[in-house]
Amino acid sequence: MGQIFNGKEIYAIGGGKGGVGKSFISANLGVLLAKNKGRVLLVDADLGGANLHTCLGIPAPAVTLSDFIANPSMQIQDAIVTTPYENLQLLSGGQDVLASANPKYTQKAKILRAIQSIQADYVILDLGAGTNYNTLDFFLIADKGVLVVIPEPTSVENAYRFIKSALYRRLSLLAGDSQTKAVIEKATKNKNDLGIRNPAELVSYVMESSPETGVLLREALNQFRPRIILNQVRSLADIRIGFAMQSACLKYFGIHMDFIGYLEVDDHVWKSIRARQPVVINNGGKSFRGLESISHNLMNDFQMKPE
Amino acid sequence: MKSQKSQTYYEILGVSPHASQDDIKKAYDLSKQTFAKDSLATYSLFTDTENQEILSLISKAYQTLFNANLRRDYDSLLARENKNKGAAPKEKEKKIKDGAEKSANSGPSAFAENPKAPQPAAAPFHPESHKSENPNSFSMDEFTQTVTEFSGAAIKKARMMHGISLDDLADQTKIRKTYLSYIENEEFTFLPAFIYVRGFVKLMANALSLPADRVSSDYMARYNKKMSPQDAPPTP
């Protein structure tokens, strides 16, 4: 605590691919922020496949978002559990029921509203893999959306797919009229008969038929600023992939992406995961320093500088 | 991809206009890696052909910016363009190309054909500039010399010579159309405070390739004369 706080910040940790370290990074950022900055709520937004509790070394919570969805009289506070770490609470996503993995629109809206109303200084949303609308909507309500990427083709591809899906989802939610929505829907397909290959071309296309919506979309494009973290980095060349993706995003999507840090391959990490303890509980070590620098950059809107 | 053609060489390399030679070299090396064949960061976004085109543009940007002389020429070109937003884009392109080709040996490319007009959005403003070798700004210089005092009417005349409507000018300057019209008609009482009017007039002058300082000092003198002295602060 002790920090002047002006409002709650919501961070979403996603990335498309499974197994790249989203939950590991969410849990450790949560512990770090709770230790140094204020009240933190970790939300396991991997509905149906929640396991963030394991990263924190606690058993699966008895109450979860599934209960919150199922039970109209339940308050969101009642689904939140404490953790062994001061200032750090957990809202789990539920591991079972198919219904909770695919909430209806109204149920999802209820969750999103509840998350926004929660009393905390920081909310960290640990997203599931994939690019379904639930995941994208969690990503989009966050103040800052972060993608975790590892230096492998599949992960980079999935990250781009995630960025594109999230961006088109945002544009589609913004565009009020069904005509523009239909254009955006078409544009999401790689080979579409409108000849739209990327968001910038989509905006130009909409600008011609409906300038007012076009201006709105262009503004959204300018505001869209995902962050990326490179995980499991082994070399200097791996780190450069972060800058390269930044520059590719600008040229391809026309958006600015902040490369906010990397984590090296580190034996302490797998050991900590097996021990079901966050790696940052021990100060020092390259992963601790990496996570500290990531949280610093994330909070202050900083980014990495190429060496 | 995002319109490469509308980026400056600085934007292509992702460096600031004040970047040192060292920064430019580093940015160039990074860009080359980013768009290299089989680059992890780009293979799924761009085709080989697109990568080639981007690389060739990157190399032209580098060759221009890394050479102190070529960079100076390019900078003054950019500065002039920013001043006369959109005036004579053809001439600008030609100069940029000439400058780059002095040292560039890369082949032609769809992207490099058209290295960016820094203010491409303004280009439709001056359709006539495409027709003649004489850039529009030349006739504006001539016009400026014939004007003894930049009144609202003179500003309006300049606008007519550009062949643009009040709506276009409002778009370009982001000043409300009604204000533009009050300024041209010297309906001072409907306008906001002195300091705003002066700012508007300068923006209009820039958009019309007129000497902003002279236009604003002429115009604001007329404003002061007409408005009662207690309403108007002295011209600084």
Side-chain angles (χ1 to χ4, degrees), chain A residues 288-301:
Chain A
F288 176 81
R289 286 193 303 273
L291 283 155
E292 269 213 323
S293 140
I294 285 168
S295 78
H296 178 73
N297 288 341
L298 181 57
M299 278 193 302
N300 296 297
D301 294 334

Side-chain angles (χ1 to χ4, degrees), chain A residues 153 157 160 198 240 251-252, chain B residues 1-2 12 33 41 43 45:
Chain A
E157 275 184 34
Y160 286 144
N198 58 48
R240 288 203 196 102
K251 289 223 164 37
Y252 185 80
Chain B
M1 57 228 65
K2 179 172 163 131
I12 286 165
Q33 286 169 10
Y43 78 89
L45 297 180

